[in-house]
């Protein structure tokens, strides 16, 4: 009974903050335009990487949800560095996980956690982008070397003359084709004698995007498809967006996180009930503890929110705050599925840069956390130390029951689908 009592206590103290996080996450998901990421994250560079990390940090996506989003970003033209930064910062932190961290671990961990997550994402993105840049430079050198060698060994004067003539003719024909395509594909009118049946569909598509006063001007890509995109950008009623946010939070997002959340709460209750505080104290701090929690977290498929109660259990068992932070950073970002996506979409050589950035920064911030706690007395409160202090008992109980009913509803819906 003690185990169930501790589990229910942890569930109640987490419920109000998880409900708040779900609401904020739903609002972010609805009010951020769908094409926002592809528009701002398509180039390599430091600023693009920073933007990707900052955009991904509050996103309502866990370890499982960020994978298709990152793949879509990459295949839509996102750079390697931006995709990596987004893939790291999104599952490592979020508005829901920060709120749960505040109540389970205290304000200090709620502040340093997103800072560490964003820093880890930026470093990992820059390392992966640097790996790409160096590879591109080496490839260019190989191409130049091959071209020089081929010219010195095999070229003759007669071949040079023939090649030059052939190149000039090809370039002339290509220029003519480009000029013709530019005129006929974009700004031609129905009276243009160059109009043929094969270009009618192209003309119909671009007719709304071209300047009728200057039909020969090249078309800017940002001005294409004006009418359809204007209709899509028209804002839906505010009440409709709120309903969509609530629907997303209470269905998709809660469904993705509640399984691991329950497992995490049960683990925390198990540790709180059966593991003495001094059991892990002999290896609860230092590099050994950080390496151990990293090895434990790699096979786990867990999101930032669900990792928080597990971290609270580790903290109550005597693990240092720095090692707990390492677990919360490495767990969501270094699971096997995410590493596999990095290898597939960004290249196998990017995996080492990815892991170096994530694990290296996590360990650095782990030592920094332990140092700040020891030197400046920042408090990292376990869950039981702040229970029922932040809000009235009736509100905590009411929100806990609402959250439990929402979870039971999703379970019943899942069972109905399986029975069909």
């Amino acid at each position: 009974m003690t185990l169930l009592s501790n589990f229910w206590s942890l569930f109640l103290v987490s419920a109000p903050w998880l409900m708040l996080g779900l609401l904020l996450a739903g609002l972010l998901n609805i009010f951020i335009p769908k094409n926002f990421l592809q528009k701002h994250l398509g180039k390599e560079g430091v600023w693009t990487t920073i933007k990707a990390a900052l955009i991904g940090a509050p996103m309502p996506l866990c370890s499982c949800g960020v994978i298709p989003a990152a793949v879509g970003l990459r295949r839509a033209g996102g750079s390697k560095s931006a995709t990596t930064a987004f893939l790291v910062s999104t599952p490592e932190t979020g508005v829901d996980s920060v709120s749960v961290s505040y109540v389970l671990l205290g304000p200090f961990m709620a502040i340093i956690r997103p800072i560490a997550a964003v820093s880890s994402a930026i470093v990992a993105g820059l390392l992966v982008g640097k790996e790409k840049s160096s590879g591109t430079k080496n490839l260019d050198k190989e191409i130049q070397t091959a071209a020089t060698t081929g010219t010195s060994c095999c070229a003759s004067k007669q071949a040079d003359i023939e090649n030059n003539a052939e190149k000039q003719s090809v370039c002339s024909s290509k220029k003519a084709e480009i000029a013709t395509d530019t005129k006929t594909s974009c700004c031609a009118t129905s009276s243009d004698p160059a109009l043929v049946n094969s270009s009618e569909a192209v003309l119909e598509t671009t007719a709304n995007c071209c300047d009728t006063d200057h039909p020969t001007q090249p078309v800017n890509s940002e001005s294409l498809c004006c009418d359809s995109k204007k209709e899509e950008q028209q804002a839906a009623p505010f009440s409709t967006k709120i309903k969509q946010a609530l629907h997303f939070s209470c269905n998709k997002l809660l469904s993705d996180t509640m399984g691991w959340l329950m497992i995490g709460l049960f683990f925390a209750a198990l540790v709180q009930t059966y593991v003495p505080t001094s059991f892990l104290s002999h290896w609860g701090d230092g590099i050994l503890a950080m390496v151990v929690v990293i090895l434990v977290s790699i096979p786990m498929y867990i999101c930032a929110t669900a990792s928080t109660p597990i971290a609270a259990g580790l903290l109550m068992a005597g693990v240092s705050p720095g090692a707990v932070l390492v677990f919360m950073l490495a767990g969501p970002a270094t699971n096997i599925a995410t590493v596999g996506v990095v290898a597939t979409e960004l290249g196998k050589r990017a995996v080492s840069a990815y892991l170096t950035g994530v694990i290296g920064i996590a360990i650095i911030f782990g030592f920094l956390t332990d140092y700040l706690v020891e030197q400046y007395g920042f408090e990292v409160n376990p869950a039981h130390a702040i229970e029922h202090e932040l809000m009235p008992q009736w509100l905590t109980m009411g929100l806990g029951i609402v959250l439990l009913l929402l979870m039971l509803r999703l379970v019943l819906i899942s069972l109905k689908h399986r029975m069909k």
Side-chain angles (χ1 to χ4, degrees):
M1 293 299 296
T2 305
L3 176 63
L4 293 178
S5 176
N6 289 335
F7 175 82
W8 180 244
S9 297
L10 288 172
F11 180 82
L12 287 180
V13 77
S14 302
W17 303 98
L18 182 61
M19 293 284 287
L20 176 61
L22 288 172
L23 175 61
L24 294 177
L27 294 175
L28 286 173
N29 182 74
I30 296 301
F31 283 94
I32 291 181
K34 300 300 180 183
N35 62 345
F36 182 79
L37 298 179
Q38 286 81 4
K39 180 180 179 181
H40 291 275
L41 307 181
K43 297 180 180 180
E44 295 285 355
V46 176
W47 176 235
T48 301
T49 306
I50 294 174
K51 285 198 299 183
L54 294 177
I55 291 171
M59 280 286 177
L61 295 174
C62 59
S63 300
C64 54
V66 72
I67 291 176
V71 171
L73 172 62
R74 174 61 180 164
R75 295 181 180 179
S79 63
K80 277 191 174 184
S81 58
T83 303
T84 301
F86 181 80
L87 190 61
V88 174
S89 67
T90 303
E92 281 190 347
T93 187
V95 290
D96 49 352
S97 62
V98 170
S99 60
V100 175
S101 298
Y102 180 82
V103 68
L104 290 181
L105 302 173
F108 174 72
M109 294 295 282
I111 293 174
I112 198 169
R113 181 179 187 175
I115 295 175
V118 171
S119 301
S120 174
I122 293 173
V123 172
L126 292 177
L127 288 177
V128 172
K130 183 178 180 181
E131 180 270 336
K132 177 189 175 184
S133 300
S134 61
T136 304
K137 291 179 180 179
N138 293 336
L139 182 60
D140 293 340
K141 288 182 180 179
E142 292 178 1
I143 293 174
Q144 292 176 0
T145 303
T148 304
T149 304
T151 303
S152 61
C153 297
C154 305
S156 62
K157 293 182 179 180
Q158 183 63 30
D160 289 339
I161 295 173
E162 293 176 357
N163 289 336
N164 290 334
E166 183 179 357
K167 288 180 180 178
Q168 291 177 358
S169 62
V170 171
C171 292
S172 299
S173 61
K174 286 186 177 180
K175 288 180 180 178
E177 291 175 2
I178 293 172
T180 304
D181 291 342
T182 302
K183 292 179 181 180
T184 60
S185 62
C186 179
C187 296
T189 61
S190 58
S191 60
D192 193 338
L195 178 64
V196 293
N197 293 333
S198 62
S199 64
E200 289 179 355
V202 177
L203 291 173
E204 291 176 359
T205 303
T206 59
N208 293 330
C209 306
C210 299
D211 189 351
T212 55
D213 295 332
H214 304 282
T216 58
Q217 290 182 351
V219 178
N220 189 333
S221 60
E222 296 180 356
S223 65
L224 296 177
C225 306
C226 310
D227 294 338
S228 60
K229 288 193 174 182
K230 283 181 180 179
E231 293 177 359
E232 292 178 0
Q233 292 172 355
Q234 288 179 353
F238 182 78
S239 60
T240 302
K241 287 190 174 184
I242 295 296
K243 291 180 181 179
Q244 292 174 349
L246 293 175
H247 183 271
F248 173 79
S249 299
C250 297
N251 291 277
K252 174 62 177 174
L253 186 58
L254 183 58
S255 177
D256 288 343
T257 58
M258 69 177 186
W260 275 111
L261 180 65
M262 292 295 99
I263 294 174
L265 289 173
F266 179 77
F267 178 84
L270 198 66
V271 171
Q272 184 178 353
T273 304
Y274 296 108
V275 179
T277 305
S278 59
F279 179 75
L280 300 176
S281 59
H282 64 283
W283 60 269
D285 57 0
I287 188 65
L288 178 61
M290 297 177 188
V291 171
V292 169
V293 296
I294 289 173
L295 294 177
V296 170
S297 65
I298 288 177
M300 299 180 69
Y301 197 64
I302 192 170
C303 66
T305 303
S307 68
T308 307
I310 297 179
L314 294 174
L315 184 65
M316 288 184 285
V319 179
S320 69
V324 167
L325 179 64
V326 170
F327 173 79
M328 292 190 297
L329 294 175
T334 59
N335 60 74
I336 297 174
T338 303
V339 173
V341 170
V342 172
T344 302
E345 297 296 327
L346 306 180
K348 294 181 179 179
R349 291 193 300 176
V351 174
S352 59
Y354 177 88
L355 293 177
T356 299
V358 173
I359 296 176
I361 296 300
I363 292 176
I364 290 174
F365 268 90
F367 280 111
L368 177 62
T369 299
D370 287 339
Y371 174 80
L372 292 176
V373 170
E374 181 180 355
Q375 294 294 324
Y376 297 97
F378 291 110
E379 295 185 0
V380 180
N381 298 314
H384 66 271
I386 55 176
E387 186 176 359
H388 306 310
E389 292 182 0
L390 297 177
M391 58 184 59
Q393 174 76 21
W394 63 268
L395 182 58
T396 300
M397 181 67 69
L399 292 176
I401 293 175
V402 170
L403 180 60
L404 181 61
L405 291 176
L406 290 174
M407 291 181 175
L408 291 176
R409 169 181 168 271
L410 292 177
V411 172
L412 292 176
I413 292 175
S414 178
L415 292 177
K416 288 182 179 180
H417 284 299
R418 292 181 182 180
M419 293 175 63
K420 290 182 180 180

